[in-house]
Amino acid sequence: MGKLFGTDGVRGVANRELTPELALRLGRAGAYVLTRETHHAPKVLVAKDTRRSGEMLEAALTAGLCSLGAQVYLAGDMPTPAVAYLIKAYKFDAGVMLSASHNPMPDNGIKFFNSDGQKLSDALEEEIEALVYEIEANDTLPRPEGADIGIVQTCDRAEADYAGFLLSTVPDVKLPADFTIALDCANGATSNIASRVFMLLGATVHTLHNNPDGLNINDNCGSTHMDSLLEFVQEKGADIGLAFDGDGDRMLAVDEKGNMLDGDAVMAICGLSLKNRGALANDTIVGTVMSNQGLDVFCRENDITLVRTDVGDRYVLEKMLADGLTLGGEQSGHVIFRQFADTGDGILTGLQLVAALAASGKPLSELRKIMTDFPQVLVNAQVDTAKKNEFSTHPAVVSAQKEIEEKLAAQQGRILVRPSGTEPLVRVMIEGRDQAQITMWAQDLAQIIRTNLG
């Protein structure tokens, strides 16, 4: 029995692993688990990105939800963070997003949200997963009849209400008409709304990859393929470029000279802006173990604490919630401004970055200099799956890693060795100031791991 839920919902190739039959069972199981405490017909919001398979899966999922008596509200093509916001704004009992985020078009995914607009805990996902398999073998869940069967409605104001929320996060920002923003919408869920939001700030907006046809989402565009935006920014003479991924929960930026800014750089700029305004809770930023060491150095130099979590936005959010923090995220551009939302939101992040840029009075290329990235090397060592977790105890590996750590101290660098969650690999990541040196150390350690654990 395979595991359905990964780190971000259920994903797979649509109509192969992620079939309409599975979507229907997920709808039934999800509706039961998420709304069993309600004493009314549960209201569930459903949205999707622009993949061709979206309508097929939406229909199957909706059928499953209605078969449990849920009232389904279809929001159409919307970013994932819009679902998180609208669930709370409309006081829905749950929500579902159909998207595989930055994955290629043939993939799709199903991601559930609770009534607080947050991703589900591992325990709830496991409960839904167990029910899906139980339904497949013997479906004993309730089956309302007659007037108790769920209905489907269209959520007509979803985009307008979400746009209003986004603009409310930057109430004092009014940009001159000669301030130019270039957008890459990845032919995805931000294709309609992103340009509308930024134009309402007064800026001149140029957009590319905003004509989804069901097949071109993430196709050499968006935050995972930045080349076209780098060129577009220079072609249009833009002050800033913003690239979103297919479902709009990530954003990477480009300065006016065509240089890319990842999530670490965005957090540095926005974090310092928040700190200067007394709005950075506990003067702390939450990153992950993969956040560049340059962010750590930047934080120390500016009296900001950097806290690292495991890779994954859910772990970032857990730490933020536990400690009452307001800013956190990942290199990938998945940044959480918890003053406004409990999930990464590409458009919201872009708005906060533009606000910080406008307030600084500097070009983005100059503002970016507050943080210097350390060179980073990642080398994969293929190992025997059964031995994958022995890297932390094998004497030869431990000794070699300790020796490298001692050498890295002089460079303010660091080393991270961790097993892949899905492949027979141990990943060696080293950051330091000398690219050639850290490359050699990473390759040497990877070879020691292969020799002893392969």
Side-chain angles (χ1 to χ4, degrees), residues 9 20 28-29 42 55 80-81 139 151 158 165 175 181 194 207 218 221 279 295 323 340 342-343 374 391 394 416:
R28 283 181 58 72
E55 292 181 353
T80 294
D139 188 349
I151 60 174
F165 155 70
L175 301 173
I181 302 173
T207 311
N218 297 323
C221 58
L295 181 60
D323 294 355
F340 308 114
D342 287 338
T343 185
F374 276 43
F391 73 93
H394 193 285
L416 177 67

Side-chain angles (χ1 to χ4, degrees), residues 11-75:
R11 288 193 189 178
V13 176
N15 222 23
R16 185 199 302 168
E17 293 105 2
L18 187 52
T19 62
E21 294 85 355
L22 176 56
L24 187 144
R25 293 196 296 272
L26 281 165
R28 283 181 58 72
Y32 180 77
V33 169
L34 293 175
T35 64
R36 62 190 163 194
E37 302 300 327
T38 63
H39 300 288
H40 58 266
K43 297 190 294 183
V44 182
L45 182 73
V46 176
K48 57 185 176 63
D49 68 20
T50 57
R51 296 163 205 270
R52 175 170 287 185
S53 59
E55 292 181 353
M56 172 187 75
L57 294 172
E58 179 187 67
L61 176 81
T62 298
L65 292 167
C66 289
S67 75
L68 260 290
Q71 297 180 33
V72 177
Y73 292 77
L74 301 179

Side-chain angles (χ1 to χ4, degrees), residues 318-447:
E318 283 176 5
K319 185 63 176 175
M320 295 175 73
L321 291 171
D323 294 355
L325 304 176
T326 50
L327 179 63
E330 301 183 277
Q331 274 183 324
S332 62
H334 201 129
V335 180
I336 301 172
F337 290 84
R338 207 174 68 78
Q339 177 185 353
F340 308 114
D342 287 338
T343 185
D345 187 321
I347 299 177
L348 192 155
T349 300
L351 287 168
Q352 302 309 308
L353 181 59
V354 167
L357 177 61
S360 75
K362 300 176 181 178
L364 187 56
S365 61
E366 185 68 23
L367 196 57
R368 170 67 175 87
K369 292 178 182 178
I370 64 172
M371 173 186 154
T372 301
D373 283 326
F374 276 43
Q376 183 182 89
V377 175
L378 179 63
V379 179
N380 292 325
Q382 187 154 4
V383 297
D384 183 332
T385 300
K387 298 179 180 179
K388 187 165 62 172
N389 292 310
E390 295 179 18
F391 73 93
S392 61
T393 57
H394 193 285
V397 177
V398 171
S399 176
Q401 181 174 340
K402 183 178 180 182
E403 184 179 343
I404 293 171
E405 286 173 343
E406 291 172 353
K407 294 174 181 176
L408 278 169
Q411 296 192 30
Q412 293 183 292
R414 68 186 182 107
I415 181 171
L416 177 67
V417 183
R418 65 188 183 97
S420 166
T422 57
E423 301 174 271
L425 300 172
V426 172
R427 306 190 192 282
V428 178
M429 188 278 287
I430 301 182
E431 290 174 339
R433 297 188 184 278
D434 187 325
Q435 179 79 56
Q437 186 70 73
I438 64 172
T439 299
M440 183 182 71
W441 288 336
Q443 291 171 343
D444 288 348
L445 181 56
Q447 185 56 51

